[in-house]
Amino acid sequence: MENGLLIVISGPSGVGKGTVCKQLLHDNDKINLSVSATTREPRAGEIDKISYFFIDKEEFESMIVNGEFLEYAYVHGNYYGTPKKYVLDKIEKGNDVLLEIDIQGALKVKEMYPDGVFIFILPPSMEELKKRIINRGTETEDAIEKRFMAAYKEIQYVFKYDYAVLNDEIELAVKRIESIIDAERYKVNRQIDIIKEI
Ligand code: 5GP
């Protein structure tokens, strides 16, 4: 059996990648969302092994030492990481796995697993991205400007990815990602077993 695809989706802050990924998962029940491990406390409504694998710092650090993460980061005083075994087990059984992670994490995954499909979500324009960041609400003008400048820098990383998908409309962005996934499946090197049997 051929391996499933490891699909990695990132993009700048405010681009709407969370919404796009949610819709993609909703429309494609064969795509599994990777569950990260974290040392932070569960929030109300979060379920262990579904929202995250909630583990303590000691366990997380021993998993780092044992090379059990595809990538990990220390964010706001807590560890977060993508467990290698969970992801690779699913892929080896022919299931597709989606990682929605930040750019730094995605680049680390690319080093470990270059066979993945790396997709970068782009806004239709920088003005539109700024509008979306402002529409998220609550933040001061200064915070919005900082977030926008960070997003501006993040967009430069698009060149490290395999595909760039415009998120002008969610449904269109999802369709574009689905066509990338379809095309990836037809790659010769992903069909070696099938070809050998012909
Ligand atoms: P939260 O605590 O709100 O669930 O997540 C905090 C931050 O950790 C978010 O920016 C989220 O994207 C990031 N994060 C969650 N899981 C992972 C992971 O597996 N790897 C990395 N690098 N970051 C993660």
Side-chain angles (χ1 to χ4, degrees), residues 34-192:
S34 161
V35 180
S36 296
T38 184
T39 56
R40 85 151 161 72
E41 291 298 315
R43 295 185 189 126
E46 286 185 330
I47 303 166
D48 188 32
K49 299 183 178 68
I50 292 177
S51 315
Y52 281 106
F53 293 102
F54 292 102
I55 60 178
D56 63 24
K57 194 166 174 247
E58 218 169 60
E59 191 180 346
F60 201 104
E61 286 175 345
S62 89
M63 286 176 74
I64 295 174
V65 172
N66 295 329
E68 291 179 46
F69 289 110
L70 268 180
E71 62 78 38
Y72 69 91
Y74 194 70
V75 187
H76 312 309
N78 283 300
Y79 283 116
Y80 293 85
T82 308
K84 205 192 281 181
K85 189 174 181 324
Y86 174 87
V87 172
L88 298 186
D89 277 357
K90 287 241 179 245
I91 288 171
E92 278 158 21
K93 285 182 187 135
N95 300 298
D96 299 331
V97 177
L98 172 66
L99 302 187
E100 186 212 324
I101 53 176
D102 68 351
I103 295 163
Q104 300 312 320
L107 297 181
K108 285 188 223 159
V109 173
K110 201 171 185 199
E111 276 171 35
M112 294 274 285
Y113 198 89
D115 200 33
V117 183
F118 295 84
I119 303 173
F120 196 92
I121 309 282
L122 287 173
S125 67
M126 293 312 289
E127 290 78 42
E128 177 60 27
L129 184 67
K130 193 163 196 177
K131 262 194 228 157
R132 290 182 194 176
I133 292 173
I134 292 167
N135 288 343
R136 276 186 169 186
T138 65
E139 288 176 73
T140 63
E141 221 166 277
D142 193 39
I144 288 169
E145 201 53 41
K146 273 196 188 133
R147 199 181 266 273
F148 180 66
M149 286 317 292
Y152 192 83
K153 281 188 197 146
E154 282 166 347
I155 285 187
Q156 318 306 317
Y157 283 93
V158 64
F159 300 107
K160 306 255 183 207
Y161 285 70
D162 303 318
Y163 298 95
V165 165
L166 200 67
N167 182 23
D168 44 359
E169 267 183 53
I170 289 155
E171 290 298 335
L172 286 178
V174 170
K175 288 268 169 290
R176 290 171 188 135
I177 295 171
E178 286 169 347
S179 36
I180 291 168
I181 293 171
D182 278 346
E184 281 287 334
R185 283 194 224 287
Y186 290 116
K187 278 193 165 168
V188 170
N189 65 355
R190 295 198 195 278
Q191 300 193 83
I192 300 295

